[in-house]
Amino acid sequence: MIIATGSVNIDENTKLAEQAGADNEEALKDLKTSMDGKITISTQAPFNDGVDHADGDLWLIQSDNVTTAMYTYGAGGWSEKQWDQETLNVKELSALSANLGTINAGILNSVEIDSSTIKSANLTEDYTSGGVHRQLWIDYNGFHYRNTDSSGGQNDVKMNDYTGMYISRSGGGTDSGYNGHTSIEGNDISTGNVNADGVLSNSVGTTTVNTSHLNMNLSTINSYTGSFYFEGGEGGSGEPGADVHAASFNKMSQLSVKRNIQDVTGDYALAQILGTDVKRYDYRLSDNSQQTNIGPIIDDENKIGSKKYDISSDMINSQSDGVSIDNEVGLLMAAVKELTKRNSDLQLRVTQLESEVKA
């Protein structure tokens, strides 16, 4: 028994049921059409395989069960199917080999890039590790690497077309007094300090060179100040000069490089030699293994008028901190010539006196 508790519009419900059946029938029809499409699997691109193909047929190119391309049949021909990037969701690509042409991307993260050419207007890296801030950038100005430690000290390495390579160190904190730079350009090396077991270069220009071995295959050394100092200890230490060993020393003496040429009389040279004290001495910081020295002394501790030791001003160099060996030898040569002349005159007078006595 059916008991109706409310009014029902039977005609309306019947119409909805008929409409739903029609929709289902159309969907089944479309599905059947798709299911009836033929799928061809081959290792080659679509060719005339002797089969009548209809719209909707698929042609898959596969190799080792891997599909590399898909074609659809329509309008009497095959066309390769293209996939929109929004429909792809790939977690991992184990291998990608393709002629990709131009790739536009925001960020590319990679462990290793193997390429014959990498072109970029600007390459940068900026990170902090172990308390050291490291920065690397390459742009149209060249290459630049910098690291900054926690105390503010910086190491800089630059390389470009104009200055070659420039390496600098600026100290920070307790290391604030440590500053220096090295510039490498062509065959020239210019630096504030060079500390090395060996330096081999065609040209070395520097304020101070500290090294156990300095090997130079060159013919010219240029000094901006015009002076070279060979000292014990670090450069500018003020310690006594170091020993210099060489087979010979040749002083440049061509007339073409000299000016203000004047005579030095024998009497003047002899007076300078006689007015210079010659002493035996050791350097204060030397030990018993070093040779005792003999020569003049520049008294740089007492005022004029109370000097302990006398020395000709012609023997003192322009910095007043050393003896000019050239002037010392020159005065000795002129003095020897004067003494030789005087000795010859005396011998002549003695000979004349002997002749007069015999007569």
Side-chain angles (χ1 to χ4, degrees):
M1 179 183 292
I2 300 175
I3 300 175
T5 59
S7 61
V8 177
N9 189 338
I10 296 176
D11 292 338
E12 183 178 353
N13 287 336
T14 300
K15 184 181 294 185
L16 291 174
E18 291 176 353
Q19 182 65 41
D23 291 342
N24 289 336
E25 184 178 356
E26 186 66 26
L28 289 172
K29 181 181 178 181
D30 292 341
L31 177 62
K32 184 175 184 300
T33 301
S34 178
M35 292 290 290
D36 285 344
K38 298 182 180 66
I39 298 178
T40 303
I41 299 177
S42 175
T43 59
Q44 303 179 37
F47 59 90
N48 186 4
D49 58 351
V51 177
D52 293 332
H53 291 281
D55 292 350
D57 287 0
L58 296 179
W59 187 295
L60 304 180
I61 299 178
Q62 287 189 356
S63 177
D64 296 331
N65 295 324
V66 177
T67 300
T68 59
M70 178 185 294
Y71 292 82
T72 59
Y73 193 86
W78 294 99
S79 61
E80 187 174 2
K81 188 173 183 59
Q82 304 294 325
W83 299 94
D84 188 86
Q85 70 272 15
E86 295 182 357
T87 67
L88 297 177
N89 184 8
V90 181
K91 293 183 178 180
E92 180 179 353
L93 290 175
S94 59
L96 178 63
S97 177
N99 185 5
L100 301 178
T102 300
I103 300 177
N104 297 318
I107 298 177
L108 178 63
N109 295 320
S110 174
V111 176
E112 181 177 348
I113 297 177
D114 186 358
S115 173
S116 59
T117 303
I118 297 178
K119 297 180 180 179
S120 174
N122 194 353
L123 297 176
T124 63
E125 182 64 65
D126 192 325
Y127 68 98
T128 300
S129 175
V132 179
H133 183 200
R134 295 176 170 86
Q135 298 169 281
L136 170 66
W137 63 95
I138 303 174
D139 55 25
Y140 64 91
N141 290 317
F143 166 87
H144 195 153
Y145 172 76
R146 172 185 296 163
N147 67 52
T148 306
D149 57 35
S150 57
S151 66
Q154 286 187 345
N155 290 310
D156 272 307
V157 179
K158 305 175 184 178
M159 183 169 61
N160 55 44
D161 293 338
Y162 304 103
T163 60
M165 178 173 288
Y166 182 85
I167 305 170
S168 67
R169 165 66 179 171
S170 59
T174 57
D175 195 29
S176 59
Y178 185 81
N179 297 281
H181 73 276
T182 298
S183 178
I184 303 174
E185 182 178 3
N187 292 326
D188 297 327
I189 300 176
S190 177
T191 179
N193 291 278
V194 174
N195 297 288
D197 291 332
V199 176
L200 179 61
S201 172
N202 289 332
S203 178
V204 177
T206 176
T207 303
T208 304
V209 175
N210 300 312
T211 176
S212 59
H213 294 87
L214 179 60
N215 301 317
M216 296 179 291
N217 182 18
L218 49 82
S219 59
T220 303
I221 299 178
N222 299 318
S223 170
Y224 293 111
T225 63
S227 300
F228 287 96
Y229 289 82
F230 295 89
E231 297 180 340
E234 297 291 335
S237 64
E239 295 184 14
D243 293 337
V244 178
H245 298 263
S248 63
F249 291 94
N250 300 307
K251 177 179 172 60
M252 185 169 56
S253 191
Q254 301 98 314
L255 174 62
S256 59
V257 299
K258 297 182 179 182
R259 62 186 180 90
N260 296 333
I261 300 174
Q262 302 176 21
D263 292 333
V264 176
T265 66
D267 290 337
Y268 176 84
L270 189 57
Q272 302 307 306
I273 296 298
L274 294 176
T276 298
D277 294 326
V278 179
K279 301 293 181 181
R280 182 187 297 271
Y281 60 90
D282 294 322
Y283 288 104
R284 291 180 179 178
L285 297 181
S286 64
D287 53 36
N288 294 331
S289 65
Q290 293 177 302
Q291 178 180 343
T292 297
N293 299 274
I294 298 176
I297 296 175
I298 301 173
D299 188 349
D300 59 344
E301 296 182 351
N302 300 297
K303 296 180 180 180
I304 297 177
S306 58
K307 300 284 188 181
K308 289 185 177 180
Y309 307 103
D310 294 326
I311 180 174
S312 169
S313 59
D314 287 330
M315 295 185 187
I316 302 176
N317 65 5
S318 58
Q319 292 81 19
S320 298
D321 59 0
V323 173
S324 172
I325 302 300
D326 290 331
N327 288 0
E328 190 176 24
V329 172
L331 289 173
L332 286 172
M333 290 177 62
V336 169
K337 290 178 63 177
E338 178 64 21
L339 291 176
T340 301
K341 178 177 178 299
R342 293 183 182 184
N343 184 55
S344 298
D345 291 342
L346 288 175
Q347 287 182 345
L348 180 59
R349 291 180 60 185
V350 168
T351 300
Q352 292 176 346
L353 289 173
E354 287 178 347
S355 298
E356 293 177 359
V357 169
K358 290 181 180 180

